[in-house]
Amino acid sequence: MKPNTTPCPSLTTVLTLPGRVDSALLAKHRRADEPLIVVKLVGVGNTAPYDFHDKGTRSYIFRFESLLEGHILRVPLHLWQAGKGRLAHDLMDQRRLPHALVVTLDPPPAAKPTPLMNVTEMGATDTRTDTRNVVGPGAEPTVAPSYALRATEGRPALGDLVASDEAAGADASTVNVAATNVQAEAPPLIGGRPLHEAAYDLVEPPKRLKALAALLGVAEAALREAIAHADSRIELANAGWVRRKA
């Protein structure tokens, strides 16, 4: 029987990479829920992007990340292991390395929990009585208006407040109490830092939103929220480019 000579698809991807490669380009080949190999160059001496040449003709662009205190290249695990570690050997199997290399594993982001239920209606309060009885969902409120909540991305978000009985003259404070009961979810943290700060370190030069989200291991929607944060020093420019604010 003839041996199977069909090339490994992952190895084919490695062999056909362009002459200059960075984390953003490699992130396009990342599979769903796949860990990342984090290769760190130590002791470069500056924060400018560093071109690291492998044993052949290809160079890999390492970019400085203050959070990790070094120049970083992130490689999807299946590309790192393809062809018995072809890419790993090209990078690290050299007699003389210009700087020390440290290799760690970045696990995939945890899956978001599935919401157990969607809140469709908030109970109203009967303000005409001394006891202030609460009228629960499904009952017809007598005086105080009911308010709609809609579920967004697995958690209830305060929707447009629509009074069901404007003629009742309910106290406006009821709306304020309902709003304060829905607590905003804290923004995601990357290594103990707000997401918009972690993204700031990676957008010099600017990067596409999708590539940046892959580098950070977060959903694009979460990254958009972080960019729009009041303390954010980055912005989403035309054509989906994320850059530092001027």
Side-chain angles (χ1 to χ4, degrees), residues 33-229:
D33 300 327
E34 180 181 23
L36 290 173
I37 298 297
V38 181
V39 187
K40 179 170 72 172
L41 271 177
V42 181
V44 173
N46 59 67
T47 59
Y50 185 90
D51 277 32
F52 183 93
H53 296 274
D54 66 3
K55 297 194 318 183
T57 59
R58 183 177 294 127
S59 65
Y60 294 84
I61 306 172
F62 287 68
R63 302 190 188 279
F64 182 77
E65 295 185 18
S66 58
L67 186 63
L68 299 180
E69 299 180 348
H71 286 70
I72 303 299
L73 178 74
R74 289 180 169 83
V75 185
L77 180 61
H78 78 281
L79 295 184
W80 183 261
Q81 296 177 330
K84 297 182 179 180
R86 172 66 178 270
L87 189 152
H89 280 282
D90 286 346
L91 273 174
M92 304 179 64
D93 188 10
Q94 303 186 42
R95 293 179 61 87
R96 293 183 180 180
L97 291 173
H99 300 283
L101 284 175
V102 178
V103 179
T104 57
L105 183 69
D106 190 4
K112 293 184 178 180
T114 303
L116 297 179
M117 62 177 294
N118 293 333
V119 181
T120 57
E121 183 176 0
M122 180 183 297
T125 302
D126 189 347
T127 58
R128 294 183 305 174
T129 65
D130 296 334
T131 56
R132 299 180 63 83
N133 295 325
V134 175
V135 182
E140 193 70 20
T142 56
V143 173
S146 62
Y147 305 97
L149 284 175
R150 62 174 180 268
T152 304
E153 297 182 355
R155 63 181 186 275
L158 187 60
D160 299 329
L161 300 178
V162 182
S164 63
D165 189 1
E166 296 180 356
D171 190 351
S173 61
T174 306
V175 178
N176 296 332
V177 172
T180 56
N181 285 338
V182 182
Q183 298 179 355
E185 182 177 343
L189 299 178
I190 301 296
R193 303 172 62 204
L195 178 54
H196 60 81
E197 291 186 8
Y200 179 85
D201 297 333
L202 301 179
V203 294
E204 185 58 36
K207 290 183 175 58
R208 294 277 189 180
L209 179 69
K210 184 175 182 180
L212 181 58
L215 286 175
L216 293 167
V218 299
E220 292 184 34
L223 181 56
R224 288 179 181 272
E225 292 180 6
I227 294 173
H229 193 275

